């Protein structure tokens, strides 16, 4: 599949049926797998042979879909997880332990921010948050001897900042640690972080990859580029024998291309069990089959809506990386030449009250705590996810009370704009 273009990989990578086999990916709805001898099974437990024994660790349906996502990102190995949260936790915890330190962009998904700043802190893992707009010197200053990973999002949810992946990768590598990029919003159709130097890529497949709001899921892809053994002192989990796996040293036995995902599956999936169900993986794959067709439409609608909103008297400001004049326009031109995603945010001049009136009158855009599926939806953080905050706190967090996030779906853009127009006119 590696010779084919991305569009073809979206449709066909990960599964090639043999003669007389099902054309569609089979859903292997089985928790367990049968073997003739205990010796056969013993080899699987020793990681001496590859195969399936229990769906908490690996399942053929999930593996086929993971292989497709790895092919799309240009990585050497991939795995599915039960959610995007699980993917980011696994990607970090696979190389961090009590006493480690992470450098992370401050402009990331709220759930990931809590995961790193609160929950992983309880595990003894420290973090330094840096601006996505940090200079090389500012980034360098965030590192410590115990730094083990750098983390950021290509296009941040919900701030819509664009990360300078090349710079973050350069600095991470200068300090001997990998760069982990959450590429949920652009998807590999619009950006492939590995091509810019990222080492590990994560996804909430719940969003555009599934694309229909039908299954929660996540994915991790390894570029196979990071040389763990060259920094063996930093990554003992990969570079010294794992006593819970009969003394296997992952980086030696599975090499650069396989060590990260093998360890993540063999240890973290075994112990935490955040596996995706084969049924969900099947639904995810249906979404992936049209990802390359859907993303350009999400971008077309997002761009049209952003341009429309920018001209409206009721609107104070619009954030959309590929909108001319956006703070991230130049960076978007470099990293997102075909556009970013369908999520647009705008601040209404009338604040919270205007946002409430506007959203109440929208007919096509439903009010949802969700983004990135076929149906347009919207959210006012001040009256929903950030409801407990005062006006002052909201402003300090960069979330003005009148901010509305609109996730443009796949409807006709003229219908979307007409709907937004009539709702804006109600504000009065
Ligand atoms: C939604 C989201 C997540 C979390 O994913 P879940 O599938 O909801 O667990 C992580 N990162 C980004 C960028 C997201 O948008």
């Amino acid at each position: 599949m590696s010779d084919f273009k991305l569009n073809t990989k979206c449709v066909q990578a990960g599964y090639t049926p043999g003669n007389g086999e099902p054309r569609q990916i089979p859903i292997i709805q089985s928790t367990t797998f049968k073997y003739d001898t205990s010796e056969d099974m013993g080899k699987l437990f020793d990681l001496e042979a590859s195969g399936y024994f229990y769906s908490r660790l690996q399942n053929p349906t999930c593996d086929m879909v993971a292989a497709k996502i790895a092919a799309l990102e240009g990585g050497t190995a991939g795995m599915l997880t039960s959610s995007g949260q699980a993917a980011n936790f696994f990607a970090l915890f696979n190389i961090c332990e009590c006493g480690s330190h992470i450098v992370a962009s401050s402009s990331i998904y709220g759930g990931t921010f809590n995961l790193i700043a609160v929950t992983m802190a309880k595990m003894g893992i420290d973090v330094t948050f840096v601006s996505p707009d940090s200079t090389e010197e500012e980034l360098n200053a965030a590192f410590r001897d115990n730094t083990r990973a750098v983390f950021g999002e290509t296009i941040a949810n919900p701030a819509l900042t664009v990360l300078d992946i090349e710079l973050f990768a350069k600095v991470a590598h200068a300090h001997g640690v990998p760069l982990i990029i959450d590429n949920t919003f652009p998807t590999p159709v619009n950006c492939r972080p590995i091509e810019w130097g990222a080492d590990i890529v994560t996804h909430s497949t719940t969003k555009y990859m599934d694309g229909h709001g039908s299954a929660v899921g996540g994915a991790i892809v390894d570029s196979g580029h990071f040389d763990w053994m060259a920094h063996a002192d930093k990554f003992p989990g990969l570079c010294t024998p794992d006593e819970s796996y009969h003394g296997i040293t992952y980086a030696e036995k599975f090499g650069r291309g396989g060590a990260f995902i093998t360890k993540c599956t063999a240890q973290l999936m075994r112990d935490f069990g955040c596996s995706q169900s084969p049924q969900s993986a099947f639904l995810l794959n249906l979404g992936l089959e049209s990802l390359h067709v859907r993303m350009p439409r999400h971008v077309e609608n997002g761009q049209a809506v952003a341009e429309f909103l920018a001209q409206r008297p009721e609107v104070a400001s619009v954030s959309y990386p590929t909108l001319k004049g956006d703070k991230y326009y130049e960076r978007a031109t470099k990293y997102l030449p075909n556009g970013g995603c369908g999520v647009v945010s705008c601040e209404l001049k009338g604040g919270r009250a205007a946002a409430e009136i506007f959203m109440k009158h929208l007919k096509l855009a439903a009010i949802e705590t969700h983004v990135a599926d076929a149906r347009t939806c919207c959210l006012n953080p001040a009256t929903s996810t950030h409801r407990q905050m005062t006006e002052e706190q909201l402003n300090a967090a960069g979330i003005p009370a009148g901010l509305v996030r609109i996730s443009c779906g796949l409807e006709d853009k003229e219908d979307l704009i007409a709907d937004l127009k009539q709702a804006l006119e109600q504000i009065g």
Side-chain angles (χ1 to χ4, degrees), residues 11 16 218 286 311:
V11 184
T16 309
L286 284 183
Q311 289 170 6

Side-chain angles (χ1 to χ4, degrees), residues 82-88 108-112 151 153 155-158 182-185 202-207 215-218 370-372 405:
S82 53
S83 66
Q85 286 298 108
N88 283 327
I108 52 175
Y109 177 66
T112 314
F151 182 89
E153 293 177 9
I155 305 175
N157 175 13
D182 181 331
N183 195 37
T184 297
F185 266 21
T202 59
H203 281 279
S204 166
T205 61
T206 316
K207 312 292 165 56
V216 172
H370 184 54
V371 285
R405 182 183 69 187

Side-chain angles (χ1 to χ4, degrees), residues 80-116:
L80 299 188
T81 57
S82 53
S83 66
Q85 286 298 108
N88 283 327
F89 173 61
F90 275 24
L92 288 163
F93 198 63
N94 204 32
I95 46 174
C96 293
E97 58 189 29
C98 183
S100 300
H101 171 255
I102 295 165
V103 173
S105 165
S106 58
S107 186
I108 52 175
Y109 177 66
T112 314
F113 188 91
N114 281 329
L115 166 69
I116 299 174

